[in-house]
């Protein structure tokens, strides 16, 4: 056993030296040849019955280092490559800071209010029936009723037959223009209600292929009843399609057809749902 001590000592020194080399490889991301061969040789030495305990302990501490090199598929990285990455990171940081500052300014800038408007401004009103455009010079404190009265000669209907709304909501007569959230666009949509017709009415249903089908129904019936008749017409379930009238979906099933602005010879769009 005494003859074995010099060999063990030499083996220990070689392993210590190998450890320094492996650490340097990991620190500098440098390439190394025959990594797998070296790893397998060390692994076999560690499992050898004749391997000294001290040598085995040192081998076991080196194997994870070499294993890291195997797993990470090490590529030689130059200083210029690292400098390029740093420049890209700095550019991204600068752009992030710029966008963050822009977002903060946008949040701090309140949307202009019509209460701050001095004098008058131009209000655009679009007719839903024929898409005609009317430009009215109005004051922020003008009410919806006053706007309707000014539209009467243009639409040639009584004021009670005119409904004004934004894209999202119907407006009451007492609402002032200053109270409306125009979302940056001073525009309204005008809907004209035809006088109520006694008895059934005939409406047109236009489908996705642009074909029209006629349907007779009472103005006093609900949207639920209308959906049932349309479903029967197209041989589908009432839950498998949507109905759109004058650009607005008919959502509430309990609403009366007449209150939705559907009158004789009105046109409603049929849109089947696409099931994923």
């Amino acid at each position: 056993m005494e003859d074995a001590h010099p060999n063990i000592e030499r083996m220990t020194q070689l392993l210590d030296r190998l450890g320094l080399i492996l650490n340097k490889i990991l620190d500098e991301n440098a390439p190394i040849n025959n990594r797998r061969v070296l790893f397998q040789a060390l692994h076999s030495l560690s499992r050898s019955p004749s391997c000294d305990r001290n040598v085995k302990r040192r081998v076991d501490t080196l194997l994870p280092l070499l294993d890291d090199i195997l797993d990470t598929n090490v590529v030689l990285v130059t200083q210029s490559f690292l400098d390029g990455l740093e420049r890209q990171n700095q550019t991204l940081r600068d752009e992030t800071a710029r966008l963050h500052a822009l977002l903060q300014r946008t949040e701090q800038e309140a949307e202009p209010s019509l209460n701050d408007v001095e004098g008058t401004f131009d209000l655009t009103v679009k007719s839903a029936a024929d898409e005609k455009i009317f430009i009215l010079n109005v004051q922020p404190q003008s009410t919806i009723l006053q706007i309707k009265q000014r539209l009467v000669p243009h639409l040639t209907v009584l004021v009670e037959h005119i409904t004004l709304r934004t894209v999202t909501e119907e407006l009451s007569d007492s609402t002032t223009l200053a109270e409306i959230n125009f979302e940056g666009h001073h525009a309204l949509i005008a809907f004209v209600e035809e006088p109520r017709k006694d008895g059934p009415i005939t409406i047109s249903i236009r489908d996705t292929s642009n074909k029209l089908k006629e349907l007779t129904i009472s103005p006093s019936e609900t949207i639920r009843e209308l959906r049932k008749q349309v479903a029967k017409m197209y041989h589908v379930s009432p839950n498998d399609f949507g109905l759109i009238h004058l650009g607005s979906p008919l959502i509430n099933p309990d609403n009366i057809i007449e209150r939705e602005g559907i009158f004789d010879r009105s046109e409603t769009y049929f849109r089947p749902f696409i099931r994923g």
Side-chain angles (χ1 to χ4, degrees):
M1 292 292 297
E2 292 181 0
D3 294 337
H5 286 302
N7 291 332
I8 293 174
E9 185 175 348
R10 178 167 176 75
M11 179 66 71
T12 302
Q13 291 174 354
L14 289 173
L15 291 173
D16 287 342
R17 190 174 178 185
L18 177 59
L20 293 175
I21 294 173
L22 291 178
N23 277 297
K24 182 175 178 60
I25 290 170
L26 289 172
D27 290 343
E28 298 184 4
N29 228 5
I32 179 174
N33 295 324
N34 300 320
R35 294 187 297 272
R36 188 165 299 279
V37 173
L38 181 57
F39 176 81
Q40 290 174 347
L42 286 172
H43 188 271
S44 298
L45 176 63
S46 163
R47 298 297 180 267
S48 172
S50 61
C51 181
D52 180 76
R53 184 172 57 185
N54 291 329
V55 173
K56 176 178 173 54
R57 180 174 53 80
R58 292 175 186 272
V59 169
D60 288 342
T61 60
L62 294 178
L63 283 175
L65 296 177
L66 194 54
D67 196 22
D68 284 343
I69 298 175
L70 287 169
D71 291 342
T72 54
N73 194 17
V74 179
V75 178
L76 180 63
V77 177
T78 62
Q79 187 60 44
S80 60
F81 178 77
L82 293 175
D83 292 342
L85 286 180
E86 178 57 31
R87 285 193 296 272
Q88 292 180 37
N89 286 335
Q90 186 59 48
T91 301
L92 288 174
R93 287 194 292 268
D94 293 344
E95 181 65 10
T96 300
R98 186 187 70 82
L99 292 175
H100 183 67
L102 180 62
L103 178 61
Q104 284 186 324
R105 287 199 301 272
T106 302
E107 291 175 346
Q108 291 171 357
E109 293 174 358
E111 184 176 338
S113 170
L114 286 179
N115 287 315
D116 300 327
V117 175
E118 296 182 0
T120 61
F121 70 96
D122 286 337
L123 174 69
T124 301
V125 181
K126 179 180 179 181
S127 171
D130 52 18
E131 297 190 348
K132 287 184 179 179
I133 301 295
F134 309 103
I135 307 296
L136 306 179
N137 190 255
V138 296
Q139 295 179 336
Q141 297 307 317
S142 299
T143 65
I144 294 300
L145 178 57
Q146 291 171 332
I147 302 302
K148 288 181 179 181
Q149 291 168 342
R150 292 185 58 179
L151 287 172
V152 166
H154 298 289
L155 300 175
T156 62
V157 293
L158 297 176
V159 69
E160 56 263 29
H161 293 156
I162 301 174
T163 300
L164 289 179
R165 62 180 300 151
T166 63
V167 175
T168 58
E169 62 176 334
E170 184 175 328
L171 303 171
S172 66
D173 286 348
S174 60
T175 301
T176 65
L177 297 178
E179 296 172 326
I180 301 172
N181 179 13
F182 285 103
E183 298 182 356
H185 304 283
H186 297 150
L188 296 176
I189 306 172
F191 295 87
V192 176
E193 298 180 4
E194 298 179 4
R196 180 170 179 173
K197 178 183 177 181
D198 295 330
I201 60 174
T202 300
I203 64 175
S204 298
I205 306 295
R206 186 184 295 275
D207 59 26
T208 52
S209 62
N210 217 29
K211 293 181 180 179
L212 284 174
K213 293 185 179 181
E214 289 192 341
L215 177 65
T216 301
I217 195 168
S218 171
S220 61
E221 291 192 50
T222 64
I223 297 301
R224 180 180 287 104
E225 294 299 324
L226 173 62
R227 293 185 64 84
K228 288 180 181 179
Q229 293 203 39
V230 173
K232 185 177 180 180
M233 177 188 297
Y234 285 97
H235 307 289
V236 295
S237 167
N239 298 322
D240 288 342
F241 63 89
L243 293 177
I244 301 173
H245 181 70
L246 295 178
S248 299
L250 303 176
I251 298 175
N252 192 333
D254 296 320
N255 278 4
I256 304 299
I257 289 176
E258 185 182 42
R259 288 303 306 155
E260 289 284 0
I262 302 175
F263 298 96
D264 196 38
R265 301 302 167 187
S266 292
E267 190 173 294
T268 298
Y269 287 88
F270 169 84
R271 291 290 184 269
F273 295 143
I274 299 176
R275 304 295 184 183

